[in-house]
Amino acid sequence: MDKAIDKQNDSDVNSVEKSVILLFSMRERICSVLSLALMQNNFTIIQAATSYLAMIKTNQFLPDMVIIDITPNNTSDVLLVNRIRKSVRTASIPVLVIIPAAIRHFLDEATKQPEPSSVDADAPATLYTLEYPFNFADMLKQVKMIMARNAPAAKPASKKEKEREEEEKVVSQQLLNLQDSVESKLKAIEKLIHKQWAFPFTVIKALDIISSDESCSNELAKCIETDLAASTALLKVANVVYYAKRGSRVTAVREAVVRLGYRETSNLLACLALIDLSPESRKNYGFKREEFWLHSLATALIAEKLCKQCGHNKPQLAFVAGLIHDIGKIPLDNNFESLFSRLLDETSTNSCSFYKTEERLMGFSHTALGHYLTSKWNFPSVVSMAILYHHNPGMICATSTPSDRILQESVYAANILAKAMCLGHSCDELCEEIPAAILKELKIPTGPGMDFFGPVLKDLMVLCQYLNLSPQNIFVGKIQPEAQKTDITDIIVVYNQANEFHPMVVALRNNGYNVKTTLQFDPEQYKQARVMIFIAEKGFPMDIMFFEDDNGETGAASILKIFLFNTLQNKKMQPDIENDVIFLDKNN
């Protein structure tokens, strides 16, 4: 009997190997030794040298476990435990804190409740501790037991899968060779995936119908009827409670198109195709499929709404372009796991945009790959170009055809606004500044108002219902309105005269902060805020008041002052933490 139990335990332990652990330690030697020891036991290790980076990487990768090393010199880092446990996105991740017994009380005070120092097989706890000194064998046993609870059983790779892995390794090495041309790399990826991965012909044909000035519901229905899978999915949606209450059950595709509507039918076809192309077949560290779908859906709905506001005659194309704007990321993740993990890790470590990391390491980004693939699949050129330029506002503004430019601007802005609203997740969370010229042409010169996102969220919830996505994964807080002059304000944002909007304001309000924006700084406001954010612009003076004692008056509460600069202006500036002054890149 005991042998049988031991065998079962061994099976559980083996099933957690290859799991991902984020290790935070400010001590380089300890971090290196623990990393090597855990890697010897087949764990994948992500390192973080500061608590700030540890939180960013935990939020990005959603590792199977976080290990936090606390010493007498960094007792304040116990607060990282609370940040992980209180975040909706990371709350379920188990945390193992390694801490000396002499300072254990700091952890207990920070978490408000002592946690067990050993693993109880029946306990649902997510916080565990290990006290110095300890034996690595004991630590390893504890790590494996913690993660064995939720780890899926490992499946041995087939011969065909092993051969494919070897092919992918060869192409992966080519992608990192900056001497090879971008064209040859894109062709190598397309050759590797073309037999198993292509956008459904039915959807592409439907896009041709949508693009036509003489398109109609009957023609769209004929197209769908040629595809059994698309027809079945459409009929299923048409008969859900939301639509079934409008009449009797429908059994014909043409009736389904009429019941759903032309817009909803075309949008649903594209959504179903995207989900079919990117199944959640395994755990994608840092690129969870359901979060990717939510981000894509949100971007699609926002892009469509922006196009409608501008009177664009084909807003459905903006929906499709927004939906698949990040489609170039899927083959990179599906086929080049190690490379994709490296891209994600360097993105979070350097606090930069994912596409910039791609360009630095591979010489191209997912935008070029998405454009290449959709062009091969004969997508409308306006959709492919919107994918290519969705991180390049300069090229968008240089587009000569007004209708094409507005569609590209809509997708570009929608991607940023979806991030600001925390709608899904897609490789990084940086909210870059949207150029004033784009905001003006999209008819939102001071950014979207409070009433903009309501219809988007409503449509997003409906789509989630159709597509069986979990609404609880839509991480949207209570959006705060513009703070009034008499309010006690959490944050005051001082814009410059060149641009009167930054997406970070949407993100801050979405996270519950009371934010006031202004173009002209009032010294009286200084006493009302906890944080002041000044957005600088080259050629425009900053409207800021300087005080002799930094706080304006003796005994005044400390106010955090954040200055956002262009990258070139910010290179030599260092944060002055003691005086609560921080300089940041305004696009990060």
Side-chain angles (χ1 to χ4, degrees), residues 21-41:
I21 296 176
L22 186 137
L23 175 60
F24 161 55
S25 177
M26 295 183 68
R27 298 183 292 177
E28 186 176 350
R29 178 174 171 274
I30 292 292
C31 188
S32 298
V33 172
L34 285 178
S35 295
L36 287 171
L38 289 167
M39 288 167 65
Q40 286 294 314
N41 286 273

Side-chain angles (χ1 to χ4, degrees), residues 482-490 492 514 516 522 524-525 527-529:
E482 173 80 18
Q484 301 302 309
K485 190 171 183 178
T486 56
D487 292 342
I488 299 299
T489 309
D490 292 322
I492 294 178
N514 194 355
K516 179 174 177 58
D522 181 354
E524 288 300 315
Q525 295 173 342
K527 301 176 182 179
Q528 301 173 1

Side-chain angles (χ1 to χ4, degrees), residues 431-505:
C431 293
E432 297 181 349
E433 185 178 47
I434 302 173
I438 290 179
L439 292 171
K440 183 177 180 180
E441 188 160 32
L442 291 177
K443 299 184 178 180
I444 48 170
T446 58
M450 285 290 295
D451 58 345
F452 180 88
F453 293 105
V456 171
L457 293 174
K458 183 179 178 181
D459 286 347
L460 184 58
M461 294 296 285
V462 172
L463 278 174
C464 285
Q465 179 185 355
Y466 296 160
L467 302 170
N468 293 321
L469 300 181
S470 302
Q472 62 263 30
N473 286 323
I474 303 176
F475 303 134
V476 180
K478 183 179 180 181
I479 305 173
Q480 301 295 323
E482 173 80 18
Q484 301 302 309
K485 190 171 183 178
T486 56
D487 292 342
I488 299 299
T489 309
D490 292 322
I491 302 169
I492 294 178
V493 177
V494 183
Y495 286 131
N496 57 71
Q497 298 174 41
N499 198 338
E500 299 180 36
F501 173 72
H502 196 293
M504 71 169 175
V505 173

Side-chain angles (χ1 to χ4, degrees), residues 182-326:
V182 171
E183 183 71 16
S184 66
K185 294 178 181 180
L186 297 178
K187 285 182 178 179
I189 295 173
E190 197 266 337
K191 181 180 179 181
L192 184 68
I193 69 175
H194 82 281
K195 290 183 180 179
Q196 61 168 4
W197 206 74
F199 217 83
F201 173 78
T202 303
V203 178
I204 298 171
K205 178 62 178 175
L207 286 177
D208 287 337
I209 295 171
I210 294 168
S211 302
S212 171
D213 293 331
E214 299 178 357
S215 59
C216 64
S217 297
N218 282 338
E219 194 173 353
L220 182 59
K222 286 180 182 178
C223 169
I224 298 169
E225 285 171 342
T226 63
D227 188 321
L228 179 60
S231 299
T232 303
L234 200 64
L235 287 170
K236 182 179 179 181
V237 172
N239 285 298
V240 298
V241 175
Y242 184 81
Y243 285 108
K245 63 184 179 183
R246 301 183 183 182
S248 59
R249 184 176 182 82
V250 298
T251 57
V253 171
R254 296 190 185 194
E255 293 177 23
V257 172
V258 171
R259 175 173 286 187
L260 292 172
Y262 188 80
R263 167 189 176 257
E264 287 79 3
T265 299
S266 58
N267 288 355
L268 277 170
L269 277 177
C271 292
L272 291 167
L274 176 67
I275 291 176
D276 186 56
L277 277 175
S278 53
E280 189 82 86
S281 57
R282 57 184 171 80
K283 181 161 185 180
N284 307 83
Y285 294 100
F287 196 59
K288 293 281 288 180
R289 286 295 193 263
E290 189 160 296
E291 293 179 346
F292 168 72
W293 297 331
L294 286 171
H295 171 74
S296 300
L297 289 170
T299 302
L301 289 167
I302 295 172
E304 182 184 45
K305 184 173 177 63
L306 289 171
C307 264
K308 282 183 178 179
Q309 287 186 173
C310 296
H312 197 283
N313 64 338
K314 295 292 181 183
Q316 297 98 325
L317 292 179
F319 181 94
V320 173
L323 184 73
I324 61 174
H325 72 285
D326 277 339

Side-chain angles (χ1 to χ4, degrees), residues 30 59 67 121 144 151 161 176 202 241 356 414 504 517 524 560:
I30 292 292
N59 196 58
I67 297 178
K144 289 185 175 182
E161 288 172 334
L176 291 172
T202 303
V241 175
K356 290 182 179 178
M504 71 169 175
T517 61
E524 288 300 315
L560 177 63

